Amino acid sequence: MHVNSIRPNAKTRYTLLMQLNSPQHQAVTAPESNLLVIAGAGSGKTRVLVERMAFLMRDQGLSPHALMAVTFTNKAAREMRERLEETLGRSLHTMWVGTFHGLAHRFLRAHWRDAGLIEQFLILDSDDQQRMLKRIIADLQLDDAKFKPRAVAGFINSCKDEGQRPHHLQTGRDYYNDMLIRLYAEYDARCNAQNLVDFGELLLRTFETLQSKSELLRHYQDRFRHLLIDEFQDTNTIQYAWIRLLAGLNTHVMAVGDDDQSIYAWRGARIENIHRYESDFAPVTTIRLEQNYRSTDVILKAANAVIANNSGRLGKELWTDQGAGTPIQLYAAFNEQDEARFVANRISQHVDQGGLYGEQAILYRSNAQSRVLEDALLRAGIPYRIYGGQRFYERLEIKNALMYLRLIQNRFDDTAFERIINVPPRGIGERTVEQIRETARDEGKGLWDAALQLTRGEGLSGRAKTAVVAFIDLINDLDGKATDLELSDLARDVIDTTGLLAYHGSEKGERGQARVDNLNELVSACRAFEPEDEESPVLLQFLSQASLDAGETQADPDADAVQLMTLHSAKGLEFPRVFLVGAEEELFPHVMSLDSAGGLEEERRLAYVGITRAMQHLVVTYAETRRLNGRDHFGLLSRFVREIPQDCIEEVRLESQISRPFVSSSFGARPVDRPHRHPRFQDYDDAFGEDTGLGIGSRVDHGLFGEGTILAFEGSGPQMKVQVRFDDGSKKWLVLQYAKLVPLG
């Protein structure tokens, strides 16, 4: 039936409103005012937003053109519009519903002249942006190894997210910073000259246009009586400023969000925006949606207990009437391979009992963790998809490293040669590569031999010849060491010597760290590799296996398959069964978060998001030993698990499938009667914690080494040791009774 033929009568409208719980009904039918709706996970916030807009148009008589609704994804915007059309029974294709970038683009298309653009302005995607920056870097004769286009683009985009043009930025701090500002200014000039607009520019240009054109601003302030903003906790500086600017004297703003789910600081989100909303938009009516329609009581009890450890929260307590549910299961794996096998086994058991693969999801903190999990699923014949990402051997940094290994193994591998000859950048441009290709074609040779020929003749310029010779020498040197090195040591040498680790690690924020983690995980994969043929070179066998694994296609989008994803990618999703893996200190919470209260609290919010993805069953796993960064790491159970009430958790064992009650102490959680525990999982002396007030995460001062953070305890009594990461980056084990640590704060 066509949407326009659906006309809900008064009885239908009444029924829809009666289906709302009391806070939902209050939010939907609130008088015109500024509203802050603190919407907990699974509390029906999308429904509230849709019903609020429907109420304003249907019951209050407002035109669709008097409303603007902002979401964070195009998918969410489409779903909101479709649900609203179904509710109202008419088309709303002209209504302003979309993402910040989508609505800003719509504004600039309508007001291109006011924005200083031509009507046919074009949008630069991230690849186009980096290509332009690459040309600018070359034109300014800058070192492209030091000023990488990707890193410069990240700097420019961050500045735009903060509402900063080049002239807003302070120069004179250091050469690198000054050159970044110069590159930003030159990039801006070229974009303006060519009428090009990147994603960051869309919102910044819209904000600047409204700010400078008072009549245009008044037009939109008068037009939009209501602004409805979803996921308010994820807004960045320029988005928040844009909302404040657009909200005129007669405009009412409905901010819907959850400060406990603010997990995107690394990409510019400012949690303080939702915290300051009540003062900046006063007077504000605050409504809390706390009834959860997704998860069992046990899962919500765990989530509430964990997030309660964060400070400065707006405050809410999730609850449900769906029953207690089963306890959260905790599995202590011997290592990451054991952890992956356990998860694969449990997934298969569920399917054997009549369940579906698609009902199950595996969540992890770092992308690098997927490698071992993928391997276990492949070997168990379990179909899977990587949600919002690529399989391990398909990731850019892994492909680059494998290509180096391939060229070491086989100089006739033209694909590998072409891919890495200038990765990382070493001054070998496309013109030089084309000369090598032409020589190869003319002489009937491979690219490697063609490059050798050109370096021995006059075909290349002096600078290009020097760069190609250096590349050839690099590969030969690595090959020369390969016979004397274990496979994992060779991989480590390749990653370090070629500069891949530094190159990929230079990306800002989480993306750069993820690429570093993946490269380190490749070393671990090499160490774990077991060759099948004693006669064949180990490197060749590994490369063959990696190619086979990469060739295994993911399950089709519509197929029944397990979903693998990072905790960041899981936000907004839900699954009947969730496996939260890698629950260890320094992995989750991530090691980079432990030095600041803000970082640790964001990690805890990430744990809250992970727990609340589970509808019926949650399984948490950790490894007593895990290979991280190419080294064996003895794990300590994550503080987030230790913050869960003990009556919510039971330990399970793969071998016998026997469940044991879970006991929590001051410093750790331990299963009852668990044999063969690693020393770092021994029962800690509770009296120590009581007497000193110290615990994992405590800040302390040492007379010689300075200030640091306690990471772990080992042993008991007079011989108890503590591991401290000091602010200079060093880690030390100290005997407690001699260390004379002074608690801070």
Side-chain angles (χ1 to χ4, degrees), residues 490 637 641 677 720:
L490 174 63
L637 180 63
V641 181
R677 303 278 299 165
M720 177 179 280

Side-chain angles (χ1 to χ4, degrees), residues 263-281:
I263 59 174
Y264 297 124
W266 52 276
R267 69 183 191 193
R270 297 285 180 262
I271 190 173
E272 55 265 28
N273 290 346
I274 195 170
H275 287 161
R276 59 191 275 204
Y277 176 83
E278 288 180 298
S279 59
D280 286 350
F281 289 84

Side-chain angles (χ1 to χ4, degrees), residues 349-523:
Q349 283 183 6
H350 179 67
V351 174
D352 290 343
Q353 294 166 5
L356 300 173
Y357 290 117
E359 297 173 333
Q360 306 175 89
I362 307 173
L363 312 184
Y364 38 80
R365 176 61 180 85
S366 170
N367 253 316
Q369 292 171 254
S370 81
R371 196 270 307 174
V372 177
L373 293 162
E374 288 183 63
D375 186 66
L377 295 176
L378 283 170
R379 278 148 184 71
I382 296 172
Y384 73 91
R385 285 191 300 275
I386 304 286
Y387 181 86
Q390 296 172 303
R391 296 178 53 174
F392 182 78
Y393 288 110
E394 294 172 347
R395 294 167 191 165
L396 172 71
E397 59 279 11
I398 300 301
K399 282 186 173 181
N400 288 339
L402 289 176
M403 291 300 174
Y404 273 102
L405 292 171
R406 280 172 51 170
L407 197 59
I408 291 169
Q409 177 65 36
N410 177 16
R411 301 297 197 280
F412 297 103
D413 192 332
D414 286 352
T415 301
F417 182 94
E418 269 197 282
R419 184 178 180 104
I420 61 171
I421 187 171
N422 200 44
V423 177
R426 50 177 57 92
I428 301 175
E430 182 57 32
R431 182 181 299 176
T432 301
V433 175
E434 184 56 37
Q435 284 182 270
I436 296 172
R437 291 194 195 102
E438 289 177 359
T439 301
R441 286 194 297 268
D442 295 342
E443 301 292 333
K445 298 179 175 181
L447 295 178
W448 177 269
D449 287 341
L452 278 174
Q453 179 176 319
L454 286 170
T455 60
R456 294 164 180 165
E458 304 297 325
L460 296 176
S461 66
R463 183 179 176 184
K465 181 184 290 188
T466 300
V468 173
V469 168
F471 174 70
I472 290 171
D473 289 344
L474 171 67
I475 300 300
N476 286 334
D477 289 345
L478 289 168
D479 187 22
K481 293 186 285 185
T483 54
D484 300 322
L485 294 175
E486 296 288 336
L487 179 61
S488 59
D489 294 332
L490 174 63
R492 170 59 63 197
D493 195 37
V494 165
I495 290 167
D496 291 340
T497 304
T498 62
L500 281 178
L501 194 69
Y503 174 67
H504 289 298
S506 66
E507 288 190 55
K508 277 191 167 184
E510 287 271 339
R511 178 176 292 185
Q513 185 58 48
R515 295 199 189 282
V516 169
D517 291 344
N518 284 332
L519 287 169
N520 289 326
E521 181 60 24
L522 179 63
V523 177

Side-chain angles (χ1 to χ4, degrees), residues 283-303:
V284 172
T285 300
T286 300
I287 300 168
R288 288 171 170 80
L289 306 183
E290 297 175 301
Q291 183 174 358
N292 177 282
Y293 296 92
R294 173 188 299 158
S295 306
T296 63
D297 186 63
V298 165
I299 292 169
L300 297 183
K301 185 178 177 181

Side-chain angles (χ1 to χ4, degrees), residues 48-65:
V48 166
L49 274 166
V50 170
E51 291 294 336
R52 174 64 174 173
M53 287 188 284
F55 174 81
L56 291 171
M57 288 184 279
R58 180 188 60 219
D59 297 80
Q60 302 299 303
L62 290 180
S63 165
H65 301 290

